[in-house]
């Protein structure tokens, strides 16, 4: 079984290169998968996320073919690891060529090409530019697959003006009975970066302001506490943190929440 899993990870890395990623990006992606495989006996949920590719809605046939093949390999990998239905491959809709409706139709056509096993591993996510929660909810209804609600994306792009608590409830309702839904949570980056450029003998300095959609290194504990205690009050779901500091961000958030609880006790 270990050889089988290793072969599938190698194929994922190969497909990542074919999709136009650099060698470093492909190797890092494969490394993340290997790390998940090495620790899959823990209680942590597993997912693969194709966040930067256009995937099934790409207007280019070659890109769609690679997307389908990688989704099949990801499915075989999860099945070989013996993961339950809570382990999913999370996709953004992707390519917006021709408009939102055209992209949703292309996604549906790509979805129909997948094997039944790959379809059951699929979940869709709202993004921060083109496809809001309302769009992916429509897609979810058409393909009968759940929605992973991304909180920061929703706050960046919400053309239907859906309040957070309502948005959360709508997304959770798309998940099948017996499977705990999950959401993505990130804090926006606020740090200003200084750039230096040598011009002759002088060094020019300029400030680069962060985009709202950029992920912070850590999670804001005050906002997260409000999200869990108010937005998510009375609802059952898992949270996947998205932060540049990764595990350090999780450990720091735990410490800060524990400290805040102790102070109010």
């Amino acid at each position: 079984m270990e050889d089988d899993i290793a072969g599938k990870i190698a194929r994922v890395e190969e497909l990542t290169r074919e999709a136009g990623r650099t060698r470093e990006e492909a190797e890092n992606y494969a490394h993340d998968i290997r790390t998940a495989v090495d620790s899959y006996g823990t209680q942590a949920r597993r997912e693969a996320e194709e966040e930067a590719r256009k995937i099934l809605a790409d207007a280019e046939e070659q890109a769609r073919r690679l997307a389908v093949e990688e989704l099949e390999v990801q499915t075989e990998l999860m099945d070989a690891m013996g993961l339950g239905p809570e382990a999913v491959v999370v996709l953004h809709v992707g390519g917006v060529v021709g408009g939102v409706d055209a992209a949703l139709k292309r996604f549906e056509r790509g979805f129909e090409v997948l094997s039944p096993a790959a379809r059951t591993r699929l979940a869709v996510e709202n993004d921060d530019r083109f496809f809001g929660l309302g769009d992916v909810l429509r897609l979810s209804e058409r393909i009968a697959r759940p929605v992973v609600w991304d909180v920061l994306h929703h706050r960046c792009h919400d053309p239907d003006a859906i309040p957070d608590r309502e948005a959360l409830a709508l997304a959770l309702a798309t998940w099948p009975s017996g499977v705990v839904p999950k959401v993505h949570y990130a804090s926006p980056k606020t740090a200003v970066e200084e750039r230096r450029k040598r011009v002759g003998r002088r060094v020019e300095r300029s400030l680069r302001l962060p985009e709202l959609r950029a992920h912070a290194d850590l999670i804001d504990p005050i906002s997260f506490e409000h999200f869990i205690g108010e937005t998510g009050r009375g609802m059952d779901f898992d949270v996947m943190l998205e932060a540049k500091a990764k595990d350090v961000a999780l450990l720091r958030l735990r410490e800060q929440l524990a400290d805040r609880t102790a102070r109010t006790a």
Side-chain angles (χ1 to χ4, degrees):
M1 176 177 131
E2 291 182 359
D3 291 342
D4 186 40
I5 291 176
K8 289 177 173 55
I9 294 175
R11 181 56 180 150
V12 168
E13 183 174 350
E14 180 182 342
L15 288 167
T16 304
R17 290 293 306 281
E18 289 184 40
R21 298 293 188 88
T22 65
R23 178 182 295 277
E24 182 180 3
E25 288 173 323
E27 289 175 351
N28 289 341
Y29 185 37
H31 173 74
D32 288 343
I33 296 175
R34 290 190 188 96
T35 301
V37 170
D38 290 341
S39 61
Y40 80 92
T42 69
Q43 294 301 310
R45 292 182 68 157
R46 302 298 170 207
E47 78 167 41
E49 182 170 7
E50 313 304 321
E51 59 186 48
R53 301 174 214 170
K54 293 183 174 60
I55 302 298
L56 296 179
D58 201 296
E60 297 294 329
E61 182 178 352
Q62 172 70 358
R64 292 197 303 272
R65 182 191 66 78
L66 290 172
V68 168
E69 185 173 352
E70 181 167 339
L71 289 171
E72 296 290 352
V73 175
Q74 291 278 13
T75 296
E76 293 173 5
L77 179 61
M78 289 181 171
D79 289 345
M81 292 167 65
L83 301 181
E86 74 285 348
V88 292
V89 181
V90 183
L91 300 186
H92 291 178
V93 177
V96 75
V97 174
V100 169
D101 290 338
L104 294 179
K105 289 178 181 178
R106 285 197 301 273
F107 191 102
E108 287 184 73
R109 290 196 295 270
F111 179 79
E112 292 169 356
V113 176
L114 296 173
S115 67
R119 293 179 191 177
T120 61
R121 288 289 187 189
L122 198 66
V124 291
E125 176 187 349
N126 57 304
D127 68 40
D128 54 14
R129 294 173 185 263
F130 305 116
F131 300 92
L133 177 63
D135 299 318
V136 295
L137 284 171
R138 285 192 288 135
L139 179 61
S140 169
E141 186 175 2
R142 294 178 192 175
I143 65 176
R145 296 307 304 149
V147 170
V148 172
W149 182 50
D150 189 297
V151 181
L152 180 58
H153 291 174
H154 185 70
R155 292 170 180 172
C156 291
H157 181 65
D158 176 27
D160 298 312
I162 306 174
D164 280 3
R165 184 166 171 82
E166 180 183 349
L168 175 59
L170 288 170
L172 300 188
T174 65
W175 286 77
S177 176
V179 179
V180 178
K182 72 171 174 179
V183 303
H184 288 176
Y185 190 94
S187 295
K189 181 178 180 179
T190 58
V192 176
E193 297 178 355
E194 182 183 69
R195 288 189 168 184
R196 300 183 180 185
K197 180 181 179 181
R198 181 170 292 279
V199 180
R201 295 183 177 182
R202 295 182 299 107
V203 176
E204 294 184 352
R205 294 176 171 83
S206 62
L207 298 180
R208 182 184 180 186
L209 301 178
E211 293 186 353
L212 178 63
R213 60 178 57 88
H215 292 171
D217 293 334
L218 302 175
I219 300 295
D220 175 359
I222 298 175
S223 295
F224 184 79
E225 188 175 56
H226 180 271
F227 172 71
I228 294 298
E230 297 298 329
T231 304
R233 185 179 67 254
M235 302 185 198
D236 184 22
F237 58 95
D238 287 343
V239 178
M240 174 180 161
L241 300 179
E242 296 184 313
K244 295 297 184 181
K246 298 186 178 181
D247 289 356
V248 173
L250 168 61
L251 296 175
R252 179 57 175 160
L253 179 62
R254 285 178 175 174
E255 292 174 356
Q256 291 173 317
L257 292 179
D259 182 59
R260 288 177 59 79
T261 299
R263 291 184 180 184
T264 58

